[in-house]
Amino acid sequence: NCFCLKLFLNCFEIFLLAERSRTKPYNILRKNLYAFCQKMVYTVTNHVLLFILILGGVFMQTILVCDDDKQIVEAIDIYLTGEGFRVLKAYDGFDALEILDKESADLLIIDVMMPGLDGIRTTLKIRETSSIPIIILSAKSEDTDKILGLNIGADDYLTKPFNPLELVARVKSQLRRYTQLGNMNQHGNSQVYKCGGLQINDENKEVTVDGEPIKLTPIEYNILFLLVKNAGKVFSIDQIYEQIWNEEAIGADNTVAVHIRHIREKIEINPREPRYLKVVWGVGYKIEKQ
């Protein structure tokens, strides 16, 4: 679509140049036509290369965008497609679930407030069977929804109105993290970390407690792996945020706290009296050495 639009605009530019040629000197027209040809070669070359890369499987990652505002979906589509992603579109939670039943997506971007099945309930439903990265979009007045979304398994959130370039950066960050440290199997030397009954196999990205498998989201896995690998060391909220999200920690308290609470609910028998994931009041969190 973007290529067709550019082609149309460039053809329209030829028409304008032809019309102006009646009044402009020949050397100016030739200069304009030369600049136009350079522009066309650049545009066509870029799109042909992108098409070849897509066919070759270099940019085969698929993003599902779900928002009841079609203009927002279309805008996100333009930016993600421009970065080489394949975009699937849904306009409510039911659409998103139906698409995920039929097709595979590498990441979901979903709005909180939607008619029918909202983003919170959709995320909860998806987490029953999938651990793909989920970025929720939320209005400024919906802080409680953002916290709830993180609590039930979303990996990141962005407040509306947002900068599309920031959204693209977050998408790439989540996909990179998911590919490297998520549920995809990694090949190499087996590395198993144990703290009592808590065990992490970093080769297979498997977490078990007393032999029982624990299902974590990529963000939850990254946090737990950081703490287990450095058992006994206390990490502040800012340190955890900066190492996991790879960005400056500004107002990160709620975000980290929600994920910590969610991890505890999965690995602890009694989250209120944790055996593994301890808080050091006024300092941060640590995994207790066993």
Side-chain angles (χ1 to χ4, degrees), residues 29 58 72 84 96 103 116-117 119 149 159 229 235 241 243-244 254 257:
L29 177 61
V58 177
I72 290 179
E103 301 202 42
L117 192 65
T159 300
K229 190 168 65 171
F235 286 84
Y241 189 90
Q243 292 205 40
I244 301 303
N254 284 338

Side-chain angles (χ1 to χ4, degrees), residues 56-114:
V58 177
F59 290 114
M60 292 302 293
Q61 289 174 305
T62 300
I63 313 298
L64 173 57
V65 181
C66 182
D67 196 310
D68 60 315
D69 189 329
K70 293 187 177 182
Q71 290 185 338
I72 290 179
V73 173
E74 293 302 322
I76 294 174
D77 178 25
I78 290 172
Y79 279 90
L80 291 179
T81 302
E83 292 294 324
F85 294 107
R86 174 175 173 247
V87 177
L88 303 175
K89 303 173 187 177
Y91 302 105
D92 61 38
F94 293 114
D95 284 347
L97 293 176
E98 184 177 351
I99 290 173
L100 289 175
D101 283 339
K102 298 177 181 178
E103 301 202 42
S104 176
D106 298 294
L107 182 142
L108 169 65
I109 300 171
I110 188 167
D111 184 34
V112 171
M113 298 297 293
M114 294 185 296

Side-chain angles (χ1 to χ4, degrees), residues 193-200 207-212 214 224 227-228 230-233 260 263-280 284-290:
Y193 299 84
K194 295 182 179 180
C195 287
L198 174 62
Q199 177 174 298
I200 296 182
V207 179
T208 59
V209 175
D210 298 328
E212 293 294 324
I214 305 297
L224 183 61
L227 297 176
V228 169
N230 298 277
K233 179 179 178 180
I260 291 291
I263 294 170
R264 276 179 171 165
E265 290 172 352
K266 294 182 177 182
I267 69 172
E268 303 285 1
I269 296 175
N270 183 358
R272 294 187 177 183
E273 296 180 7
R275 175 185 174 189
Y276 302 107
L277 213 172
K278 303 278 190 176
V279 61
V280 180
Y285 298 96
K286 70 174 181 177
I287 287 291
E288 192 74 61
K289 283 187 176 182
Q290 304 285 320

Side-chain angles (χ1 to χ4, degrees), residues 94-154:
F94 293 114
D95 284 347
L97 293 176
E98 184 177 351
I99 290 173
L100 289 175
D101 283 339
K102 298 177 181 178
E103 301 202 42
S104 176
D106 298 294
L107 182 142
L108 169 65
I109 300 171
I110 188 167
D111 184 34
V112 171
M113 298 297 293
M114 294 185 296
L117 192 65
D118 62 29
I120 298 298
R121 289 184 292 168
T122 304
T123 298
L124 187 60
K125 187 69 176 176
I126 291 171
R127 280 292 176 251
E128 293 178 2
T129 57
S130 175
S131 59
I132 66 169
I134 297 177
I135 300 176
I136 59 175
L137 305 177
S138 172
K140 288 185 177 180
S141 60
E142 298 163 0
D143 287 339
T144 55
D145 286 332
K146 292 187 294 187
I147 299 302
L148 179 59
L150 290 172
N151 195 38
I152 64 173

